[in-house]
Amino acid sequence: MDYGHPLKLGTFITPTNAAPDVPVGLARLSEELGYDLVTFQDHPYQPRFLDTWTLMTWVAAQTQRIHISANVLNLPMRPPAVMARAAASLDLLSGGRFEMALGAGGFWDAMEAMGARRLTAGESVDALSEAIDVIHGIWDAAERTPLRVDGEYYRLSGAKRGPATAHDIPIWLGAYKPRMLRLIGEKADGWLPSYGYLKPGQLSVGMATIDEAASAAGRDPREIRRLLNITGRFSRTRGGFLDGPAEQWVEELLSLALDDGVGTFILGTDDPEILRGFAEEVAPALREALASERASVGVVDGSVRSSAIRARRRSGIDYDHLPTSLTAIEPGDAGYAAVRSTYIRGGSPGLVIQARSTAEVVDALAFARQQPVPLAIRSGGHGISGRSTNDGGIVIDLSGLNSIEVLDASTRRVRIGAGARWSDVAAALAPYGWALSSGDYGGVGVGGLATAGGIGWLVREHGLTIDHLRAVDVVLADGARVRASEAENADLFWGIRGAGSNLGIVTSFEFEVDEVGDIGFGQFVFDAGDTAGFLEKWGRFVEAAPRDLTSFMLMGRARAGQPAMAQVYAVVDSDDAEVVVDRLQPLVEIAPLLDQAAQILPYAQIMNVPPSAHNGQGDPVARSGLIEHITPQFAAAAARLIASGAVYFFQIRSVGGAVADVHPDATAYANRSANFSVTAFGSDRDRVNAEWDQLYPHFSGLYVNFETDLRPERLDDAYPGPTMTRLRVLKSRYDPDNVFRDNFNVAPAALTIAR
Ligand SMILES: Cc1cc2nc3c(=O)[nH]c(=O)nc-3n(C[C@H](O)[C@H](O)[C@H](O)COP(=O)(O)OP(=O)(O)OC[C@H]3O[C@@H](n4cnc5c(N)ncnc54)[C@H](O)[C@@H]3O)c2cc1C
């Protein structure tokens, strides 16, 4: 039976250590000749062989494309949990090129001499079965509970899981006996026997045994790849199996593929001429013949999702009709742990579609619209609201759209993909002597920040990030691709600048960036025992400072026995040391100074952070308020909030300056008059909300990107009166079905038909 698996061809090379370069050279030759896979036998008790793991790692480093496997790994000599981690590591290092083939071992005297415990044939099956569970358990990095296995052969009492593998590493078993074959059917991903060890007819009987066991276990037999080690010789005249001209090889292998379902042939030889002859004369003809036979009988592609993954699918998503052009990750996939959550919120989406182009965003959105589940849009995954993941829904992940291009150097016009991170933007602009004020953390994504505001290190001098926007490319809810600017779709452009997440998926942003040289950056720690007094003085200092100074202040509850401390950061948009000192001097006088550091450095340096894993857990609780001045009444209320312990993070940022130069009606970010943005994080939602209510009367609005409270009244705080009215009209025009609703949702206005 042909299972329809795409044909793969591999090589099987002796790992001799007499001339260690030889097996490595043959592996490289395998890659050059177009083989898909290179494999090595594993006999750790054999002094004439290189250690197989070490060799595979070396080969992985010396090749770019070819996949690598043992043929097969000796389980009794390698603890499976350690082997799983080694496999995941090699898979990560090689860019997803490691495949795992396992065996029960065979040379027991030699293995026992090296310390292995001798097992009977039956025990070997059970040990392999347990080992597969252990390996899968370690690879299941998305699962947060420690791994416990109470087996007969392997016991794990709370092992840490991970790392996640780079791709779904299959586990193939090299085995022959019926119980082993049934184990393959039940839980392995492939059968890897050697043709020379098989008795006549044993291959088809083995296939049937596997199929039967797979079906009994509720699996689709096509989940199991059928591999075969082969050896042969090219000669002019036809002899025995694979002993003859290339045409004979093609005929014999074709019959194994069509009649027995072999999808991978692995050629055992250390002879470069045989490797070359097979690659050049057999492989192309075999591929062609197989494709043509399959086309004539209508065999479908046998690549199927495993039943283990299908079992984890969430209801409401028609996984089988996801367009094949789209790349997606679902629960159980190797990459799921890395994409399920955001930086700050734990998530369990049913599907994460990784769009690599605007066309794919359109396709992903069209698919998502048909599924009755939540939809999240993710750019950098740093959204404090946590709305860029969900539970059981779909996430459209734009992190692949991360290009940064200079469009016109004379006007400092740049186009940036939604998935770029601000640290990458800062690094790309630095060589031109440019910068774009964005936020205070380089790991944040462009899409979420540039659709809402952007309160950054240079905000008082250079304004909000959205104030530098000149045009956007947007995919609307109905799939239309539109451009918006002051000249085209100006109403949409207005709304994108402050409420973008309600109106469409912005795929790229065109900004006019600023000339910014090196900047002064000061970090200070103050004794803020008199918290209210400190806040007032810091507020007065900020308001009195020229616009080239932007300052952020951060506090938490005082530690036992210590005064409350405040960390203050200040950026001065100047590379002149005298100016920097002049600006910072009044700051150090506002309270007892415990520590300080100031330097002049490139803007890109303060934005520089390495990419971080997104493994947020739980639901974030953050509140936001915008305030004109830090009045004594507000300062006293804020001091009480900080001392209450309800929040672990309390921050005030300066806004004002250039932000207020823009008219409140010019964009959907209307709260322009505030001089400060106040944010608090806590863990107990009710307690944080109760305490925040005490501060609320002081605020003149909020910034959606620092808020998690989804109650409808927050929308009026973010989008006051006329802004909200206008947004609702826009929403009914651009997203009448409210497709983009899983965030701070502006409801479409009821349409009024003019008479
Ligand atoms: C550590 C940290 C520091 C921060 N510092 C600052 C700061 O200094 N200044 C500041 O202003 N903000 C800051 N923020 C808040 C930040 O602006 C927002 O959380 C922003 O949404 C993050 O953007 P993202 O692309 O990483 O988010 P994501 O989590 O990917 O997206 C957040 C939300 O934005 C919307 N969205 C994302 N991409 C698009 C798109 N392409 N089109 C339409 N809608 C989209 C979606 O509704 C999504 O749920 C910070 C956040 C964190 C976690």
Side-chain angles (χ1 to χ4, degrees):
M1 171 184 168
D2 180 3
Y3 301 94
H5 294 138
L7 182 68
K8 302 274 179 200
L9 301 173
T11 60
F12 186 9
I13 288 161
T14 313
T16 174
N17 59 19
D21 285 351
V22 170
V24 178
L26 290 171
R28 291 221 301 259
L29 179 65
S30 304
E31 178 167 87
E32 272 165 46
L33 291 172
Y35 287 92
D36 304 293
L37 176 71
V38 59
T39 70
F40 306 96
Q41 51 189 298
D42 179 36
H43 297 284
Y45 39 79
Q46 171 56 270
R48 287 186 297 108
F49 287 171
L50 292 161
D51 168 67
T52 302
W53 273 110
T54 314
L55 174 61
M56 290 192 294
T57 307
W58 190 267
V59 165
Q62 306 233 354
T63 52
Q64 278 81 46
R65 182 195 53 78
I66 199 163
H67 286 231
I68 298 154
S69 171
N71 195 342
V72 295
L73 280 170
N74 183 312
L75 173 67
M77 303 211 60
R78 304 183 183 281
V82 176
M83 203 156 56
R85 207 154 272 153
S89 301
L90 186 47
D91 197 46
L92 289 167
L93 287 166
S94 66
R97 293 191 287 131
F98 178 74
E99 320 288 7
M100 181 174 269
L102 273 184
F107 299 87
W108 280 107
D109 289 347
M111 283 158 55
E112 237 181 347
M114 288 279 286
R117 176 183 153 201
R118 187 182 283 265
L119 301 177
T120 64
E123 288 171 332
S124 291
V125 179
D126 295 338
L128 258 170
S129 174
E130 284 180 16
I132 293 174
D133 295 341
V134 169
I135 293 166
H136 281 151
I138 292 286
W139 286 345
D140 191 0
E143 173 59 53
R144 295 211 163 103
T145 55
L147 178 61
R148 293 178 199 284
V149 176
D150 188 19
E152 180 73 22
Y153 302 91
Y154 303 109
R155 292 209 169 105
L156 276 70
S157 54
K160 291 203 165 84
R161 298 175 192 260
T165 57
H167 83 303
D168 287 307
I169 303 178
I171 299 181
W172 306 321
L173 298 191
Y176 299 91
K177 295 198 173 134
R179 267 199 70 197
M180 280 289 191
L181 300 181
R182 285 200 291 276
L183 176 65
I184 293 171
E186 282 157 22
K187 55 167 81 164
D189 307 300
W191 181 29
L192 173 51
S194 292
Y195 186 86
Y197 287 24
L198 291 166
K199 299 189 189 79
Q202 197 181 347
L203 191 62
S204 50
V205 170
M207 298 289 185
T209 307
I210 292 170
D211 293 354
E212 211 173 283
S215 301
R219 303 179 75 198
D220 182 333
R222 290 176 302 165
E223 290 176 33
I224 300 154
R225 182 166 271 275
R226 321 299 161 119
L227 307 94
L228 189 64
N229 289 322
I230 52 170
T231 52
R233 162 175 104 88
F234 291 107
S235 55
R236 287 218 182 89
T237 50
R238 288 178 174 255
F241 178 71
L242 299 186
D243 180 1
E247 306 83 73
Q248 179 189 333
W249 285 57
V250 173
E251 284 161 24
E252 288 170 350
L253 297 181
L254 184 64
S255 135
L256 285 166
L258 293 173
D259 302 338
D260 295 302
V262 177
T264 303
F265 293 104
I266 303 177
L267 178 62
T269 181
D270 296 327
D271 182 341
E273 286 316 307
I274 297 184
L275 286 180
R276 192 176 297 280
F278 185 90
E280 290 174 357
E281 293 175 46
V282 179
L286 179 59
R287 287 189 198 285
E288 200 183 316
L290 185 59
S292 124
E293 288 289 336
R294 281 179 171 172
S296 67
V297 291
V299 172
V300 289
D301 183 353
S303 317
V304 286
R305 286 276 190 187
S306 78
S307 51
I309 288 179
R310 295 176 77 86
R312 293 192 189 195
R313 288 182 163 179
R314 306 292 297 264
S315 60
I317 302 178
D318 185 4
Y319 292 88
D320 292 330
H321 290 97
L322 180 76
T324 49
S325 57
L326 294 176
T327 305
I329 296 180
E330 53 183 283
D333 280 345
Y336 186 70
V339 300
R340 64 181 294 179
S341 300
T342 65
Y343 183 72
I344 217 158
R345 181 182 180 214
S348 305
L351 193 68
V352 178
I353 304 177
Q354 299 189 299
R356 294 157 301 185
S357 65
T358 305
E360 289 191 1
V361 174
V362 172
D363 290 349
L365 183 58
F367 174 79
R369 283 198 64 159
Q370 301 304 316
Q371 321 301 315
V373 295
L375 169 64
I377 309 303
R378 180 185 304 165
S379 287
H382 272 252
I384 285 174
S385 66
R387 296 301 104 199
S388 59
T389 189
N390 54 40
D391 182 9
I394 292 175
V395 175
I396 300 181
D397 178 356
L398 308 173
S399 57
L401 303 180
N402 58 358
S403 61
I404 303 169
E405 302 160 72
V406 173
L407 297 177
D408 181 359
S410 65
T411 55
R412 297 188 305 279
R413 186 96 166 217
V414 298
R415 179 163 51 216
I416 304 176
R421 300 179 329 133
W422 288 109
S423 58
D424 301 323
V425 175
L429 300 184
Y432 298 87
W434 302 340
L436 174 55
S437 183
S438 49
D440 66 347
Y441 187 68
V444 170
V446 168
L449 184 136
T451 45
I455 301 175
W457 287 125
L458 301 167
V459 68
R460 290 182 78 232
E461 174 86 342
H462 295 285
L464 298 172
T465 309
I466 54 169
D467 298 338
H468 292 263
L469 257 182
R470 298 295 173 263
V472 284
D473 292 305
V474 191
V475 174
L476 297 177
D478 64 2
R481 298 163 63 160
V482 299
R483 184 174 166 83
S485 66
E486 292 291 1
E488 300 162 83
N489 299 306
D491 56 347
L492 178 63
F493 188 54
W494 173 88
I496 292 284
R497 290 173 292 167
S501 61
N502 267 286
L503 300 174
I505 303 176
V506 182
T507 52
S508 68
F509 300 79
E510 282 180 31
F511 293 102
E512 184 180 324
V513 302
D514 287 313
E515 277 176 350
V516 176
D518 285 356
I519 52 160
F521 183 56
Q523 296 165 274
F524 306 88
V525 181
F526 291 98
D527 176 337
D530 170 16
T531 303
F534 172 81
L535 293 177
E536 269 188 78
K537 285 186 199 149
W538 176 77
R540 279 203 296 272
F541 155 74
V542 170
E543 289 200 51
R547 284 180 174 199
D548 57 9
L549 178 132
T550 294
S551 181
F552 296 175
M553 190 292 313
L554 179 61
M555 283 192 76
R557 188 189 200 176
R559 290 198 183 146
Q562 290 184 12
M565 283 187 263
Q567 293 176 49
V568 173
Y569 303 88
V571 165
V572 180
D573 184 12
S574 171
D575 58 2
D576 181 333
E578 270 185 42
V579 174
V580 173
V581 170
D582 180 64
R583 299 291 187 267
L584 298 179
Q585 194 60 48
L587 173 62
V588 297
E589 289 157 14
I590 64 170
L593 187 62
L594 303 177
D595 201 0
Q596 63 165 311
Q599 53 191 319
I600 292 178
L601 73 187
Y603 172 76
Q605 201 167 316
I606 55 171
M607 294 300 284
N608 179 25
V609 288
S612 55
H614 284 180
N615 48 18
Q617 294 189 22
D619 250 326
V621 184
R623 299 302 310 271
S624 161
L626 294 165
I627 188 168
E628 310 280 319
H629 309 288
I630 301 189
T631 60
Q633 295 76 12
F634 171 75
R640 280 195 297 277
L641 171 75
I642 295 166
S644 75
V647 299
Y648 55 80
F649 175 102
F650 179 84
Q651 188 186 52
I652 309 182
R653 298 172 170 225
S654 49
V655 200
V659 178
D661 292 347
V662 177
H663 194 276
D665 294 342
T667 68
Y669 183 103
N671 294 309
R672 295 274 174 177
S673 60
N675 280 304
F676 299 95
S677 156
V678 184
T679 314
F681 276 83
S683 26
D684 180 334
R685 188 172 303 277
D686 292 341
R687 196 166 162 221
V688 173
N689 286 345
E691 294 289 341
W692 194 256
D693 285 348
Q694 310 301 312
L695 267 62
Y696 185 75
H698 299 279
F699 295 130
S700 57
L702 64 77
Y703 174 38
V704 273
N705 271 7
F706 289 156
E707 181 61 67
T708 57
D709 184 2
L710 293 171
R711 286 177 290 183
E713 52 268 38
R714 293 294 82 79
L715 278 173
D716 296 322
D717 296 336
Y719 307 114
T723 305
M724 177 55 101
T725 309
R726 206 168 156 186
L727 274 176
R728 290 192 62 199
V729 173
L730 273 188
K731 182 79 175 173
S732 58
R733 183 174 310 151
Y734 290 104
D735 183 17
D737 301 329
N738 207 4
V739 171
F740 303 113
R741 63 181 167 275
D742 292 316
N743 50 43
F744 295 98
N745 187 212
V746 173
L751 292 178
T752 315
I753 313 295
R755 290 175 185 233

